[in-house]
Amino acid sequence: MTREGIDAADVRRKVEKARTLVRDRSARLVGFEAVEIQRFVAASSRPITIQGACEVLKAFDARNADLPETIFAGGARGLMRVAEDRLAACIDQLTAAFTEQTVGLSLAVADVPFDPAHEPESLRWLWLAQRSAHDACAPERIDFAAFRGASCTDCRARPGERPSPKPDAQAGEKICARCDALIKHGRSSQYAAMERWTLEDVSEGDLVAVVNADGNRLGQFFRSLRSLEALCAGSLV
């Protein structure tokens, strides 16, 4: 974006770059989005863990935004125009990277043929396929019996497997592999002296401000856009 707003020329160049990659080959539209992203970010009440979750998603978005096939990527969702002979490898790379970085979170991915002469129809088909892919993602299955019922003391949603690194941890207190990974990401994004484990660590003068930006209608917004250029520009708003 420019200081005045969205740079239309940059949007056209980005979309044309993705088109050029597959100009002489059959193309597919690939849409993807995280499943249960809100629960992932807010699973723990610890600021350092929430920060780590945000860093993981930012890194995933940045990786995808740099790919030449990408039309847009942000908020752990995106759209790509991929050559048919690259489709399987592209989807495998997307899902593997996301599952590894989030320690098991699901990514719903769908693909449909792309017809440049009927761009709106191709996009509408993709949104329907993506909704089906999202609904088909099975919820995470956790065998708590294998861990004798001990749950993570941070998120309390997964088995406790690793010693808790928090300064005031009790003897034997354990957290899950996901919270452990997110804490490490949170730590790496801030100075050691500024590690924020509790709301008291965040507050200034005993006050804490909470901002809730409601993004529940983002999917509806993107589905209302009817061209690759509009989607690319819309992701910059």
Side-chain angles (χ1 to χ4, degrees):
M1 297 182 65
T2 66
R3 292 174 61 183
E4 293 75 24
I6 296 170
D7 189 327
D10 279 349
V11 168
R12 286 193 294 269
R13 281 194 293 269
K14 184 173 182 62
V15 174
E16 183 58 28
K17 183 177 181 180
R19 286 190 171 123
T20 302
L21 285 173
V22 291
R23 191 180 300 280
D24 299 321
R25 293 177 287 172
S26 297
R28 307 280 293 190
L29 287 180
V30 176
F32 58 91
E33 64 177 336
V35 178
E36 297 186 325
I37 187 172
Q38 292 178 338
R39 191 164 76 172
F40 171 74
V41 173
S44 170
S45 61
R46 297 194 177 279
I48 194 169
T49 314
I50 296 172
Q51 176 71 29
C54 294
E55 293 299 325
V56 166
L57 297 178
K58 283 168 58 179
F60 179 71
D61 290 338
R63 169 196 175 277
N64 294 323
D66 285 342
L67 297 176
E69 300 95 339
T70 299
I71 303 300
F72 81 85
R77 66 191 304 149
L79 174 68
M80 307 172 78
R81 188 171 183 267
V82 180
E84 196 161 332
D85 56 3
R86 274 264 307 140
L87 180 65
C90 175
I91 292 176
D92 287 346
Q93 290 165 6
L94 275 173
T95 54
F98 189 72
T99 301
E100 179 182 3
Q101 292 173 16
T102 61
V103 192
L105 197 65
S106 295
L107 187 73
V109 184
D111 67 275
V112 299
F114 177 64
D115 183 354
H118 298 89
E119 203 164 286
E121 289 77 10
S122 297
L123 288 168
R124 190 177 304 115
W125 188 4
L126 178 66
W127 303 143
L128 292 173
Q130 195 166 338
R131 184 179 300 174
S132 297
H134 191 284
D135 292 343
C137 282
E140 186 177 9
R141 297 184 181 275
I142 300 172
D143 183 9
F144 278 98
F147 292 84
R148 299 179 181 177
S151 61
C152 171
T153 57
D154 271 22
C155 70
R156 303 192 182 280
R158 297 164 65 87
E161 304 174 59
R162 303 177 183 180
S164 174
K166 68 181 182 181
D168 59 346
Q170 302 296 314
E173 189 172 332
K174 293 186 176 182
I175 61 175
C176 65
R178 178 179 290 171
C179 283
D180 185 52
L182 298 184
I183 288 171
K184 289 175 181 176
H185 282 290
R187 278 180 150 174
S188 67
S189 67
Q190 54 194 12
Y191 297 113
M194 296 176 61
E195 287 188 358
R196 297 176 171 91
W197 290 90
T198 67
L199 289 178
E200 286 80 4
D201 296 330
V202 177
S203 66
E204 296 183 5
D206 298 324
L207 297 175
V208 176
V210 178
V211 178
N212 180 20
D214 184 2
N216 288 337
R217 302 180 72 86
L218 280 177
Q220 180 177 333
F221 166 71
F222 282 114
R223 286 192 295 272
S224 70
L225 304 178
R226 297 170 60 82
S227 71
L228 299 185
E229 282 84 358
L231 282 161
C232 183
S235 69
L236 302 175
V237 174

